[in-house]
Amino acid sequence: MKQVKKAVIPLELTGLGSGEGDSKSWQVKVTLPAAIGTEDMAVPAGQSLDLQMLAVAISEGVSLSVSGATFAEGSCVRCLQPVEKSLDFSLTRIYYYPDVLAHLLNEVSDDSSVYADLDEAYQVQPDSRLDLEPLLIDAIVPQIPYSVLCSPDCPGLCPECGIMLAEAEAGHHHDTIDPRWSALADLLDE
């Protein structure tokens, strides 16, 4: 099985105290190693994001808040024209210390649990680093529209000839004949 290399966006927590309630805020510029979004619209790989960060030390790990703005590129689902949308995002997540996360994961039972959605993505690494990628995915993807449209009233493409209906002449249509009657239409042409 081919192993996919996971994109990592590291954040160092140097300067954050270890006492509960200690906090640090700063601005960070990161470059996305991989696109974040959906098939229809995504923030492209290589784009730089200016992020405002706030980290607060808590007993279980670090509460990290991120906010920022970016743009996403995609295609209208009706007419396939390029679409660009600006996105504002903010989100707070807890990054757990490895021993706390291991303890919480051991408590997860087969039935529903408060900790059922935990995984190692939200873990403080031994070198006091965090991977921002899961946090950015969780913050950005919900801001992308479910149905990407160039305009709310986009008429789309003509199903017969494929031209954009927004640019077609008024009353654009095609005369179609039921294939069962095509032999009779040929008689009319004679």
Side-chain angles (χ1 to χ4, degrees), residues 1-6:
M1 176 189 276
K2 183 179 178 183
Q3 189 152 11
V4 178
K5 185 178 180 197
K6 184 181 176 309

Side-chain angles (χ1 to χ4, degrees), residues 8 12-13 19 26 30 48 54 72 90 101 112 121 125 149-151 154 177 181:
V8 174
E12 291 189 27
L13 293 175
W26 65 105
V30 299
S48 291
L54 173 64
S90 65
L101 183 61
S112 75
Q125 301 302 316
L149 298 173
C150 59
S151 67
C154 176
I177 298 175
W181 293 98

Side-chain angles (χ1 to χ4, degrees), residues 23-114:
S23 65
K24 178 183 177 185
S25 62
W26 65 105
Q27 290 189 331
V28 177
K29 184 178 213 92
V30 299
T31 301
L32 297 180
I36 295 177
T38 65
E39 285 186 25
D40 295 327
M41 179 171 269
V43 178
Q47 185 171 338
S48 291
L49 302 178
D50 291 316
L51 306 174
Q52 292 74 43
M53 312 291 296
L54 173 64
V56 179
I58 59 174
S59 62
E60 296 89 3
V62 175
S63 173
L64 185 67
S65 298
V66 62
S67 62
T70 187
F71 70 91
E73 300 171 343
S75 299
C76 176
V77 295
R78 291 185 186 160
C79 69
L80 308 177
Q81 291 299 305
V83 177
E84 189 173 290
K85 180 172 175 46
S86 62
L87 306 172
D88 293 321
F89 58 89
S90 65
L91 190 66
T92 300
R93 285 283 190 259
I94 295 175
Y95 283 78
Y96 294 93
Y97 294 129
D99 57 334
V100 172
L101 183 61
H103 176 71
L104 292 175
L105 291 174
N106 285 337
E107 289 184 2
V108 175
S109 63
D110 292 335
D111 51 280
S112 75
S113 171
V114 175

